[in-house]
Amino acid sequence: MKILVDVKSCVGHARCNKVAPELFPLDDNGYNVTASEVEIPAGDEALAQRAVRACPERVMRIAED
Ligand code: F3S
């Protein structure tokens, strides 16, 4: 599974990081600094989906294969 991240649209809600801190790191100001594409490790798919849904700005989305 791959997640696409539009980091320019992040306004710092930090909800993604609360759900999945290892997958979605923040900078010192609380903004998502994840790469624009993240390959989700096997087993972390459900966690990643919850983090994607947690963002009110819809900064992240799941890439369809
Ligand atoms: Fe940003 Fe959304 Fe996370 S606004 S910090 S990507 S919850």
Side-chain angles (χ1 to χ4, degrees), residues 4-49:
L4 304 178
V5 186
D6 178 17
V7 286
K8 295 186 306 299
S9 299
C10 174
V11 297
H13 288 297
R15 295 185 190 177
C16 55
N17 181 267
K18 284 212 173 55
V19 173
E22 285 84 20
L23 296 176
F24 303 108
L26 305 182
D27 67 14
D28 290 343
N29 295 315
Y31 289 86
N32 191 327
V33 290
T34 310
S36 59
E37 287 189 13
V38 183
E39 194 65 47
I40 302 302
D44 281 348
E45 292 90 347
L47 187 67
Q49 287 174 334

Side-chain angles (χ1 to χ4, degrees), residues 1-5 36-40 45 49 52-53 60-65:
M1 172 197 273
K2 193 184 291 182
I3 303 287
L4 304 178
V5 186
S36 59
E37 287 189 13
V38 183
E39 194 65 47
I40 302 302
E45 292 90 347
Q49 287 174 334
V52 166
R53 286 197 301 266
M60 300 172 289
R61 64 186 173 91
I62 297 166
E64 304 299 335
D65 290 332

